[in-house]
Amino acid sequence: MSVTPPKAAPHQRATRTERAILQATREVLIEAGVAGLTVEGVAARAGVAKTTVYRRWSSKEELALAVLLEVAEEIVAVPDLGNVRDELIAFVNGAVEILRETLMGRVMRGLVSDFASNEGLGQAFREQVVSMRLAEVRHLLERGIERGEVRPDVDVALVHELLFGPVNYRLLLTGGELDGQLAERIVDAVLPGISSEDASG
């Protein structure tokens, strides 16, 4: 069944009730993961009626996504570090750390099939998580172009996929370690294909 994307406000503008519901969702996800998440359980833990939850989120998947979006907001923009390599490593590593050390990785694994089968949920994830990450990659590459480090004709969307594809592949398929050197290895594999002649020469 398709659902509409979550409509609750971001946590900084959320009402007290919404904050209580999202905190309860976090706690249940920590204890039981997406498989053990229920609207009834969240409502009981938050001290609200089920109808109160359903007025804001229509399913447990939407609740899990709402928490995922909160965590994704913690991935901040990368400051000017003087070169595109260091900036891309910092950005990819920030995502790796959040996936490794917070609920985001666990929720992603629990929701990945829903993103594929549920149009509304997938759209919300793309619009609120993927687009934010893509915009930051674009910003970093444009900064690199201005410095003469990156080719002006670089395919931003493809670079974004090349940078984060290996991370998601390990997270969702192989179970490979999201270690502290992963971001550096990925960036060093991608960079030769996007560097300008001046930078690579």
Side-chain angles (χ1 to χ4, degrees):
M1 180 181 68
S2 179
V3 299
T4 56
K7 296 182 280 297
H11 64 90
Q12 65 267 28
R13 298 192 300 274
T15 66
R16 181 179 302 178
T17 298
E18 288 166 350
R19 288 195 299 270
I21 293 170
L22 290 175
Q23 179 58 33
T25 303
R26 279 177 176 258
E27 292 171 2
V28 174
L29 286 169
I30 290 170
E31 295 172 5
V34 175
L37 181 69
T38 65
V39 172
E40 292 80 2
V42 168
R45 187 173 294 233
V48 301
K50 285 192 299 182
T51 53
T52 302
V53 178
Y54 279 119
R55 278 198 296 270
R56 293 162 172 81
W57 297 277
S58 66
S59 66
K60 74 170 192 175
E61 289 80 15
E62 285 195 12
L63 274 171
L65 179 59
V67 169
L68 181 64
L69 298 179
E70 280 196 319
V71 176
E73 290 177 1
E74 299 172 17
I75 303 177
V76 296
V78 177
D80 190 331
L81 299 178
N83 66 86
V84 72
R85 178 180 181 271
D86 288 349
E87 290 167 359
L88 289 174
I89 290 173
F91 188 57
V92 175
N93 192 58
V96 168
E97 288 181 350
I98 284 180
L99 288 169
R100 184 178 64 222
E101 298 172 8
T102 73
L103 269 174
M104 189 171 186
R106 192 171 182 182
V107 175
M108 281 278 291
R109 285 191 290 267
L111 286 180
V112 64
S113 62
D114 294 289
F115 291 152
S117 63
N118 188 311
E119 182 178 349
L121 214 61
Q123 178 185 348
F125 180 74
R126 289 190 296 273
E127 291 180 351
Q128 299 180 61
V129 177
V130 176
S131 65
M132 178 178 63
R133 204 166 55 188
L134 177 59
E136 181 61 14
V137 170
R138 183 182 305 278
H139 175 66
L140 296 179
L141 292 177
E142 288 174 348
R143 194 186 282 168
I145 292 171
E146 291 174 0
R147 296 193 193 107
E149 300 172 296
V150 175
R151 296 197 333 254
D153 63 344
V154 65
D155 185 332
V156 175
L158 180 59
V159 172
H160 169 260
E161 292 169 353
L162 291 171
L163 291 172
F164 288 97
V167 177
N168 291 327
Y169 192 79
R170 288 192 177 202
L171 176 72
L172 302 173
L173 296 176
T174 69
E177 184 181 1
L178 299 179
D179 60 77
Q181 290 72 50
L182 180 60
E184 183 175 2
R185 296 200 302 273
I186 292 171
V187 171
D188 284 343
V190 172
L191 208 52
I194 65 172
S195 296
S196 67
E197 291 185 7
D198 291 340
S200 59

